[in-house]
Amino acid sequence: MFNILVGLVGGILLAVLGGYASGDLNPLGFIIVALLGLYMLAIIVPSIALFVRRLHDINQTGWIALGLYICAIIPIINLLASVAQIVIGVLPGTVGPNKYGPDPKGAAAAAADVFV
């Protein structure tokens, strides 16, 4: 959600201050585009790691993420890949431990939150 907010604010700044609406980017527009590009580069690895962790929560291999990212490059199929990522994101995790570790919402995890 934060990434959407950053993109929205960046797009508005680009349209209002960067000269994007007139068709010619001014120097401030190039700076805004550069900052948005650097931000997108900075979140690539954490985003992939988060999605692989989510796959592990539902007891699936992280290689599925690679397949979905490759499918996201192909036109038309990228819509299905995006829907699949959203569905995977909202699926409930495996109850109890799985082959990738213990259940983060289990009783043992709750005990770890208390400073004992």
Side-chain angles (χ1 to χ4, degrees):
M1 212 146 150
F2 181 75
N3 293 336
I4 293 171
L5 183 64
V6 168
L8 185 65
V9 169
I12 290 171
L13 287 175
L14 189 61
V16 174
L17 301 175
Y20 185 76
S22 66
D24 292 326
L25 283 181
N26 58 31
L28 185 58
F30 284 110
I31 292 172
I32 293 170
V33 168
L35 288 175
L36 285 173
L38 287 173
Y39 176 76
M40 294 302 165
L41 282 175
I43 66 168
I44 286 175
V45 172
S47 296
I48 292 170
L50 183 67
F51 189 61
V52 169
R53 182 175 176 166
R54 182 68 196 118
L55 284 166
H56 287 178
D57 283 345
I58 62 171
N59 203 21
Q60 298 295 320
T61 180
W63 290 104
I64 293 174
L66 179 63
L68 288 173
Y69 291 142
I70 290 172
C71 288
I73 297 171
I74 304 168
I76 306 295
I77 297 177
N78 61 1
L79 178 65
L80 297 174
S82 299
V83 170
Q85 286 181 343
I86 292 170
V87 168
I88 288 171
V90 299
L91 285 174
T94 304
V95 178
N98 62 24
K99 65 182 178 181
Y100 298 104
D103 185 4
K105 291 173 25 178
D113 291 341
V114 180
F115 298 105
V116 178

